[in-house]
Amino acid sequence: IGFPTANVALGEHLRPRFGVYAVRVLVEGEADDPKNWRTGVANLGRRPTFGKLQENFEVHLFDFAGDLYGEHARVQFTHFLRSERKFDGIDALIGQLKNDIDHARTVLMG
């Protein structure tokens, strides 16, 4: 739908509340230095707009055009933005995603 995401395998974990989060991400192999942490927005949930039932975790990194397939990353939840909800259609979802991205950029960049 126009927002490239890294789909993250969840495995065993202590699950936070379903919803949208502002996040920071460090790709494995990069030094744990503040300049290497990337910013983004993540969704943890079941994607009810698409009728999905399986829990899913997707991360959209801001201003990133690389390839993360097969890579491992550490994701830090920094701010809870909103609860997961079902939208009336794809256009409404895309509009909300744009708002989520703006909100995440604001809270992450100060």
Side-chain angles (χ1 to χ4, degrees):
I1 61 174
F3 299 91
T5 60
N7 295 301
V8 181
L10 294 171
E12 291 186 33
H13 66 287
L14 178 62
R15 182 179 56 77
R17 182 165 112 183
F18 282 165
V20 177
Y21 292 83
V23 296
R24 294 189 192 283
V25 178
L26 180 67
V27 176
E28 186 176 273
E30 295 181 339
D32 189 354
D33 183 298
K35 69 179 180 197
N36 290 332
W37 283 83
R38 303 169 196 278
T39 56
V41 64
N43 181 72
L44 174 65
R46 292 196 170 97
R47 299 180 293 174
T49 302
F50 298 105
K52 303 291 183 180
L53 299 176
Q54 184 175 354
E55 185 175 334
N56 190 58
F57 182 50
E58 302 173 286
V59 178
H60 170 71
L61 297 176
F62 303 148
D63 309 314
F64 180 79
D67 183 357
L68 294 175
Y69 282 99
E71 297 290 337
H72 291 89
R74 188 179 338 166
V75 180
Q76 178 185 63
F77 290 64
T78 63
H79 296 83
F80 181 79
L81 302 178
R82 66 173 176 84
S83 296
E84 181 177 52
R85 65 179 187 257
K86 183 175 181 176
F87 292 90
D88 290 332
I90 194 75
D91 291 335
L93 173 61
I94 289 171
Q96 181 60 57
L97 289 172
K98 289 177 181 178
N99 290 337
D100 293 339
I101 288 169
D102 289 343
H103 187 188
R105 283 185 189 273
T106 298
V107 298
L108 290 166
M109 307 305 179

